[in-house]
Amino acid sequence: MRKAIALELLLLILVILLCLIFLFPEKIIHHTYYVDDAAGDDTNSGTSPSAPWKSLSRINRQVFEPGDRILFKAGGVWTGELHPKGSGTRKLPIRIGRYGQGKRPLIQGGGGERAVFLYNQEYWEIGHLEITNQGPDEADGPRRGVEIMADHQNAKRKAGPDRVSTLRHIRLHDLYIHDVNGQDKKDGYGSSGIHVWVSAGEGPHERITTFDGILIENNVLENIKRTGIMTMSEWSNRPQHDGSGYDPAYPWTPLTDVVIRGNRLTNICGDGIVPHVTDGALVEHNKLEGFNRCSSGYNAGMWTYNGDNTVYQFNEVSGGHSTRDGMAFDFDHGSKGIIYQYNYSHDNEGGTLLICNNLPGGGVYDGVFRYNISQNDRNKIFTVCQGDNARNIQIYNNVFFVGEHLATSLLPAEGGKTSVILRNNIFYNLGSGGYAAKPGWTYENNVFYGNRIPDANTMPDAGMSTSDPMFVSPGSSPDGYKLRRGSPVIGGGTAVQGNGGRDFWGNSVDERLQPNQGAYNGEGEF
């Protein structure tokens, strides 16, 4: 009888434990590993602050389990590559952070290929570190701060080439990444502060690979050669990009659920933020100050190559250098459904917006540029590449301000034939630049105020206004482009279906009603 009761109690305890593990796995299964560059020893257990590990090499030997944490001592310095192994799970990601008071722990790559590296891993969260990767000499290959890479061509479990292996949940947050002096080579093979990419490799290709759930937020990046934040995939071929010459053996398989939010980037050698080969990426509340600073190539601030449905919103982009591009934003080749809204660009030498469709085959489709403010961008407000395969680009309810002593061209003469609709915008020109006719463009209810107002032959806009829009304080800050009470452009626009529902400041925009012209849809300021 006693044995039966004991067995029943044992089974009950086992059931309770299993329930607890299922309901609260983070409370039951995980280890926290501590790393101290001064007081640590790699022969320690590493599982308490009193017995920490010491080196990156000890971390790199470990295969971590779901729910584990790796904490670096605040103020510590480590040189080399941090490459921990293992993957977490949806409920139990593996986290890297810090413990103690003081400066962020510093991982310095010392000029290697990368300072922090994950390879074919998922469910990781990395934060609160300082990261550099500066070599004594100019790099002759890629050099990155953080590199997240996938490459499954040698997967053990065989699968057909149409099978997609998806790696999920990578979060990079609250990192300070600076002084990465990499090679000046563009796109997926170049250097960057944060680099997330998928390699197709040499084959045989047992499966296609991609990422889902990339969150890059609240990081600071400074002095990066060459790209600030990038995603890329070699699984990138499709007619939209390559026309009839695409290779179906490498089908377009985009990264999904990519969010790049709240980051600050300063003094970037090449491109700023470029979520290439993505579908539905969100890029918001980022500040980019200074890009294309030292590259010999062509670079823009924030743009998507061969990707669909990226939304760029609430970003500030300034300090673009040179006219080798050098503009804030770009509708680039192979892209479709890109939206730029509620952004502020200023003082970019190349200009505001590039429409680049100059590769043979493929095209640029269905772009929207709305409720943005451009102040003192230079060279050209719009730059249009050669080619005739940009279709249905809608540019409406923006403000383009050009101050005195600037020679910015407000509408371009160069470039191929493009299908662009220009509607409800305000061009406020105090400079000496002018406007050129652009075949294939449609003009509707735009405001042209100030110097060198275009005539009807140059700008066939039946609803054109040349009246002072009565801004609150043009040339000062975004708030300076609100309208004063009594402005002639209040209610002067034409309704646009699917307009996003709000203006730059959050005022409602009802698609059934005539909006204001420009980026402000309020009743007017006193």
Side-chain angles (χ1 to χ4, degrees):
M1 184 68 178
R2 290 180 179 178
K3 289 183 178 180
I5 293 174
L7 182 59
E8 288 178 359
L9 286 172
L10 183 61
L11 289 173
L12 179 61
I13 292 170
L14 181 60
V15 168
I16 291 172
L17 285 173
L18 289 173
C19 289
L20 287 172
I21 291 171
F22 178 76
L23 293 172
F24 306 104
E26 67 280 3
K27 305 293 184 182
I28 303 298
I29 304 174
H30 69 75
H31 294 91
T32 298
Y33 296 92
Y34 299 86
V35 192
D36 185 333
D37 68 322
D41 189 317
D42 287 348
T43 62
N44 288 338
S45 67
T47 55
S48 74
S50 60
W53 290 339
K54 183 180 182 66
S55 71
L56 296 180
S57 61
R58 179 63 186 88
I59 300 170
N60 296 345
R61 293 199 303 270
Q62 186 80 6
V63 178
F64 294 94
E65 299 295 332
D68 285 350
R69 294 191 303 163
I70 307 162
L71 302 182
F72 289 87
K73 181 70 176 292
V77 179
W78 292 263
T79 299
E81 178 181 292
L82 171 61
H83 182 193
K85 311 303 189 297
S87 286
T89 63
R90 183 176 63 84
K91 291 186 176 182
L92 290 169
I94 302 171
R95 296 183 172 95
I96 295 178
R98 68 175 176 182
Y99 72 102
Q101 300 298 314
K103 292 183 178 181
R104 289 182 177 94
L106 171 59
I107 310 296
Q108 47 189 22
E113 191 167 341
R114 76 282 285 184
V116 178
F117 185 42
L118 297 180
Y119 175 69
N120 283 343
Q121 293 163 267
E122 60 183 341
Y123 295 104
W124 280 81
E125 299 183 359
I126 303 175
H128 302 291
L129 302 178
E130 180 180 355
I131 298 168
T132 69
N133 194 6
Q134 185 162 4
D137 302 313
E138 190 76 11
D140 58 2
R143 188 175 286 163
R144 292 140 187 180
V146 177
E147 179 178 352
I148 311 297
M149 178 184 174
D151 176 0
H152 264 126
Q153 86 253 20
N154 294 318
K156 293 181 179 179
R157 184 159 59 97
K158 290 192 176 294
D162 59 342
R163 180 179 175 87
V164 177
S165 174
T166 302
L167 297 170
R168 303 183 188 278
H169 188 88
I170 301 292
R171 182 186 178 214
L172 307 174
H173 66 98
D174 300 287
L175 301 170
Y176 175 35
I177 303 172
H178 62 98
D179 296 299
V180 178
N181 62 338
Q183 183 185 43
D184 183 17
K185 188 174 182 180
K186 199 170 176 71
D187 296 334
Y189 310 103
S191 301
S192 57
I194 294 177
H195 199 95
V196 181
W197 73 298
V198 181
S199 169
E202 298 297 327
H205 299 115
E206 295 178 351
R207 66 181 67 190
I208 300 168
T209 308
T210 191
F211 283 105
D212 176 76
I214 301 293
L215 177 57
I216 301 171
E217 62 177 348
N218 301 329
N219 304 289
V220 174
L221 289 87
E222 297 176 343
N223 306 324
I224 306 297
K225 182 179 181 182
R226 122 178 245 296
T227 300
I229 298 172
M230 164 175 284
T231 72
M232 178 61 80
S233 175
E234 292 181 342
W235 297 99
S236 59
N237 282 257
R238 56 177 174 166
Q240 182 175 306
H241 176 259
D242 304 281
S244 60
Y246 79 102
D247 184 352
Y250 296 86
W252 187 75
T253 311
L255 286 72
T256 54
D257 191 20
V258 174
V259 177
I260 303 172
R261 172 190 294 137
N263 303 284
R264 180 167 61 83
L265 294 83
T266 304
N267 195 27
I268 305 302
C269 179
D271 295 302
I273 297 176
V274 283
H276 297 333
V277 197
T278 55
D279 192 359
L282 176 62
V283 181
E284 63 177 3
H285 297 289
N286 302 285
K287 187 172 185 178
L288 172 60
E289 302 174 276
F291 61 93
N292 205 11
R293 301 298 299 171
C294 67
S295 175
S296 61
Y298 289 78
N299 305 278
M302 298 184 186
W303 59 287
T304 299
Y305 171 77
N306 194 17
D308 293 352
N309 307 309
T310 311
V311 175
Y312 294 87
Q313 60 185 10
F314 311 115
N315 302 292
E316 180 179 345
V317 181
S318 65
H321 181 62
S322 92
T323 57
R324 296 188 311 275
D325 292 357
M327 63 287 299
F329 310 113
D330 172 16
F331 291 118
D332 207 83
H333 193 81
S335 67
K336 183 177 182 180
I338 308 300
I339 297 176
Y340 291 100
Q341 58 187 11
Y342 325 125
N343 301 290
Y344 174 44
S345 69
H346 60 96
D347 303 290
N348 296 290
E349 291 182 15
T352 306
L353 178 63
L354 173 65
I355 303 172
C356 198
N357 51 301
N358 60 335
L359 296 180
V364 181
Y365 308 99
D366 304 332
V368 174
F369 191 85
R370 64 187 176 205
Y371 290 100
N372 303 288
I373 294 172
S374 163
Q375 178 176 288
N376 291 335
D377 288 329
R378 306 182 184 193
N379 192 32
K380 300 178 179 71
I381 294 296
F382 306 111
T383 295
V384 182
C385 296
Q386 298 298 319
D388 60 356
N389 50 355
R391 299 285 183 266
N392 188 31
I393 307 298
Q394 299 186 56
I395 301 172
Y396 61 88
N397 285 99
N398 305 283
V399 172
F400 304 101
F401 174 89
V402 177
E404 296 179 6
H405 312 301
L406 296 182
T408 304
S409 172
L410 285 93
L411 284 175
E414 90 291 343
K417 182 179 179 181
T418 54
S419 171
V420 175
I421 301 172
L422 204 68
R423 178 187 291 139
N424 298 342
N425 302 284
I426 298 178
F427 295 86
Y428 197 109
N429 183 22
L430 302 181
S432 60
Y435 306 81
K438 194 69 184 166
W441 289 40
T442 300
Y443 308 94
E444 186 176 345
N445 281 52
N446 298 286
V447 178
F448 300 93
Y449 175 74
N451 299 335
R452 301 191 64 182
I453 294 172
D455 58 31
N457 291 326
T458 301
M459 212 61 54
D461 185 344
M464 178 191 296
S465 170
T466 60
S467 299
D468 183 349
M470 296 174 56
F471 288 132
V472 169
S473 180
S476 58
S477 68
D479 283 347
Y481 299 100
K482 295 179 178 179
L483 300 171
R484 295 186 183 277
R485 288 287 177 91
S487 166
V489 308
I490 291 178
T494 185
V496 179
Q497 299 297 308
N499 58 25
R502 55 160 289 169
D503 71 0
F504 185 93
W505 291 271
N507 297 306
S508 175
V509 182
D510 190 329
E511 64 182 25
R512 299 168 298 179
L513 304 175
Q514 281 187 285
N516 300 345
Q517 290 152 299
Y520 170 81
N521 204 55
E523 297 179 353
E525 307 292 315
F526 288 104

